[in-house]
Structure formats: C-alpha cells, structure tokens
Amino acid sequence: MIINDQHYRTVWYNPSTNVVSMINQIKLPFEFEIVELKNYKETAEAIRNMTVRGAGAIGASAGFAMAQAFVENMDGAKEAKQFIEATRPTAVNLFYAVKKVFEAGIIGVSKAIEMAQSIANEDAESCRLIGEYGNELIQNKAGILTHCNAGWLAFVDYGSALSPVYAAQKSGKEPFVYVDETRPRAQGARLTAYELYNNKVEHRIIADNAAAFYMQKGAIDMVITGADRIAANGDTANKIGTLEKAIIAKEFGIPFYVAAPFSTIDFDTAEGSGIKIEERDENEVLYYEGPDDDGIIRNIRMASEGSHALNPAFDVTPAKYITGFITNRGIIKSSELEGYRSV
Ligand code: MRU
C-alpha cells in the first residue's frame, strides 16, 4: 500500500537481524510510526495490545513471532507457541500460522523462517485475488457499506473487504464507501477511512447505528465485511456489530458479502457456536481516544464514573445472512464450503 509515495506492507520480518517491523496501528491515523520488535515476546505483545490487528496481519505477525522464537532458542519453541497462541483467541489465522511455522521449525530454523515468509506472501497474494474476484460484483458508482477495518492494514497488503473496492476504483468504477465507525476501538473511523482517503476513494464515516437509515434510503447497494473465523457451515465471526448489519441487510434485500482468504476458514469448527469470542477490557468502551489541540493522544471518559461496561470483540453472523464469500478461489456460497475441505 502506498503511503506518502512509498509502498509498505503492514508487517515484515528481517531474518538476518531477527527483527519484526510493523506499522503501529494504535497511533493511526494521527501518527505514522514503524515499530521494531526484537524477539517473539515483543511481537506477541504487539498482537495482544493491537499494535497490529486484523485477521491476516495477526496471522503473519504470529508466524513471524514463531520464527523469531526458533531463531532465539530451539528448545523454547513449544513454550513460545503457547505464549503466542494466548494473545488473541478469535482470529483463526493466528493459530494457522503458528502451527505451520512450528511444524516447519521442527525440521530446522531456516524452514521456520521460510514458512513464515511464505505465509505473509500468500496472505498478500490471496488478498490481491480477492480484489479481482470481488470487483466483478461491484457496479459503477455502487454504495458499499463496510464494518471495522478489513483493508490492507488488517492483512499484509491489499486487504479483504476493501481489496475489491480498490480493484473497482483502479478499473475506473467510482465506488462510494459507507464506513461504520466501529466502536469501541473505532477501526472504521480511524483505519478504514485513513486507507480510503490515502487511496482517493470517496467515503463517509457513519455512526454505528446509522446503517439502517442509509439502507432504507436505498443508498447502499451491497455490504462487504471481513472475517476473523469462518466455521465449516459458513457461520462467520467478525468484529462486533457485524451481525446486526447482516440482519438489516437481509430485511432490505441488500446482498451481504464476507471477503476472506481461505486461511480464515476453520474446517475444524463445525458451526459458529464453537468459535471462542474474545472479551476485551471495559475501558475500550468507557473511554474514547484522540489527540488534543497539541497533538497529544488522550483518553476521554464518556460514561458516568462507577458505571461498568461489557466488551465482546466479535459476534457470529449465521450463514443464512451471508450472500456469498469473496475468497482467493472465487465467490463461494456457504453450502459450497464443505466441498473445499480437503482441496
Ligand atoms: O479486533 P481487530 O481489530 O483485530 O478485529 C478484527 C478485524 O479486523 C475485523 O473483525 C475485520 O473485519 C476482520 S478482517 C481482518
């Protein structure tokens, strides 16, 4: 992705120094900063505290962390695997990447490094393909609603839900994106809008409860969201608030697409009820974060002292609300997923 005329991936790894570098998403859009993580514990902490977030980017970072662990100390690899896996429970890409790099590392450190790099490269290529397939669904001047950030920041490059939007824009169509603010962490307002702005895609941020209003007005032609884990039957875990958007879209007859690489499909989980939902700190709900007039980032409390909050990070949208999955292997219906189990 191009920022200030320079191409960046969200996360990358230099095996000769054993350093993982990533864009610090906690500071965006207020500051563009690259952080350098010198060992697997630092990389795992960056996943936990959401310096890096989004299913594909979490997966690539976790794979790199596992490779770092092998470089640090072969004997500690098993313990490191558990440490990395404990950072965030919902995105399956994390477990997929850690497992693959761990298995490769048993053969040799260089294999672990190779595997981690190839998982990151595959992620970028899958997202590029998602863009090509998804573009076929987008009409000129389409109004597209998206939730959270499933753009290039959520992956290694291109993104999932936003990749078709970028491909559409590149092919001369003029998509208009309605960006759900996506409380509590505001990944829509902070990250998706930042990406779209930098790519010169027309967009507006809307409050999380405004989607039905625009659907009723006929402004939204389709919804595209990402996914953190897709069960074998098509039930899909994604950022909290996705479920209600899917239900409303069905009510108004608006197609609801989930864009994700195959690495997000968890064939070992039969249905959505088997997906573990991450519960996060209540302060994410009770406070809002942003810069003051001097550019210093502050947390502002927005609730009465003494009130507590609940903060599930994801919800599960049943397959019946999902029109189709935009994947790196084409557009697939939930009823067809099972056929890909061993492909
Ligand atoms: O908690 P986050 O920011 O890691 O949330 C995950 C997501 O980025 C979204 O749910 C997204 O839509 C999934 S696609 C990477």
Side-chain angles (χ1 to χ4, degrees):
M1 188 52 51
I2 308 292
I3 299 287
N4 301 329
D5 295 329
Q6 206 181 318
H7 179 262
Y8 287 93
R9 281 187 163 190
T10 305
V11 56
W12 61 97
Y13 172 52
N14 182 346
S16 55
T17 55
N18 203 29
V19 168
V20 172
S21 304
M22 57 177 65
I23 295 172
N24 185 349
Q25 301 194 39
I26 294 174
K27 296 210 170 157
L28 287 176
F30 313 115
E31 197 183 316
F32 184 80
E33 179 191 78
I34 308 290
V35 290
E36 299 204 329
L37 308 157
K38 296 176 196 63
N39 54 56
Y40 84 85
K41 284 198 170 162
E42 286 186 11
T43 306
E45 173 57 18
I47 297 170
R48 197 202 55 75
N49 71 20
M50 293 176 69
T51 299
V52 65
R53 33 66 50 204
I58 290 173
S61 304
F64 289 148
M66 195 64 247
Q68 279 179 306
F70 274 108
V71 173
E72 282 166 47
N73 169 17
M74 275 294 272
D75 298 336
K78 204 164 175 193
E79 193 187 313
K81 179 173 182 280
Q82 286 163 358
F83 190 85
I84 301 161
E85 284 176 340
T87 52
R88 296 198 68 190
T90 305
V92 74
N93 303 59
L94 183 151
F95 300 89
Y96 166 87
V98 169
K99 181 171 180 278
K100 286 196 105 168
V101 177
F102 182 79
E103 284 167 1
I106 301 295
I107 303 166
V109 178
S110 64
K111 295 283 176 210
I113 293 168
E114 240 172 65
M115 180 56 77
Q117 299 285 25
S118 97
I119 286 170
N121 291 337
E122 254 173 46
D123 182 85
E125 175 58 10
S126 295
C127 287
R128 190 187 68 72
L129 289 167
I130 286 171
E132 285 190 7
Y133 289 119
N135 183 16
E136 291 166 20
L137 300 168
I138 298 179
Q139 304 290 320
N140 190 25
K141 294 189 187 295
I144 303 169
L145 177 76
T146 192
H147 192 69
C148 193
N149 173 264
W152 67 276
L153 285 163
F155 289 84
V156 174
D157 210 342
Y158 297 97
S160 57
L162 294 188
S163 189
V165 172
Y166 295 136
Q169 171 94 348
K170 216 169 158 188
S171 63
K173 299 174 190 170
E174 294 171 24
F176 185 102
V177 182
Y178 293 82
V179 179
D180 283 340
E181 171 194 26
T182 320
R183 279 282 287 150
R185 299 281 295 218
Q187 289 97 327
R190 292 181 64 156
L191 304 177
T192 298
Y194 172 80
E195 285 192 24
L196 294 171
Y197 172 78
N198 275 287
N199 281 278
K200 300 183 177 49
V201 177
E202 270 293 311
H203 65 282
R204 295 289 183 275
I205 299 163
I206 60 171
D208 280 329
N209 37 13
F213 174 85
Y214 286 105
M215 287 188 190
Q216 194 179 42
K217 275 170 84 88
I220 293 171
D221 300 298
M222 65 195 299
V223 184
I224 314 181
T225 73
D228 294 275
R229 192 183 291 240
I230 299 167
N233 72 342
D235 293 351
T236 296
N238 194 51
K239 182 54 57 188
I240 191 77
T242 303
L243 169 61
E244 63 184 48
K245 304 301 178 286
I247 295 170
I248 308 165
K250 189 159 184 123
E251 171 65 25
F252 287 107
I254 296 166
F256 184 97
Y257 289 99
V258 169
F262 255 70
S263 53
T264 303
I265 304 171
D266 177 7
F267 286 105
D268 293 336
T269 298
E271 53 181 45
S273 58
I275 299 176
K276 179 162 189 219
I277 300 295
E278 178 182 10
E279 293 277 346
R280 294 188 61 87
D281 194 308
E282 64 169 0
N283 285 340
E284 292 184 347
V285 176
L286 298 173
Y287 288 81
Y288 210 96
E289 191 186 65
D292 64 15
D293 289 347
D294 298 320
I296 296 165
I297 294 184
R298 304 243 183 239
N299 271 320
I300 314 255
R301 189 170 173 102
M302 49 188 290
S304 58
E305 286 294 339
S307 287
H308 292 281
L310 300 171
N311 188 14
F314 303 94
D315 55 28
V316 175
T317 299
K320 67 176 179 183
Y321 294 110
I322 299 169
T323 310
F325 295 92
I326 308 171
T327 77
N328 46 314
R329 296 184 185 167
I331 317 285
I332 295 170
K333 292 203 178 306
S334 31
S335 55
E336 296 165 341
L337 279 179
E338 203 43 62
Y340 287 85
R341 181 180 280 272
S342 51
V343 182

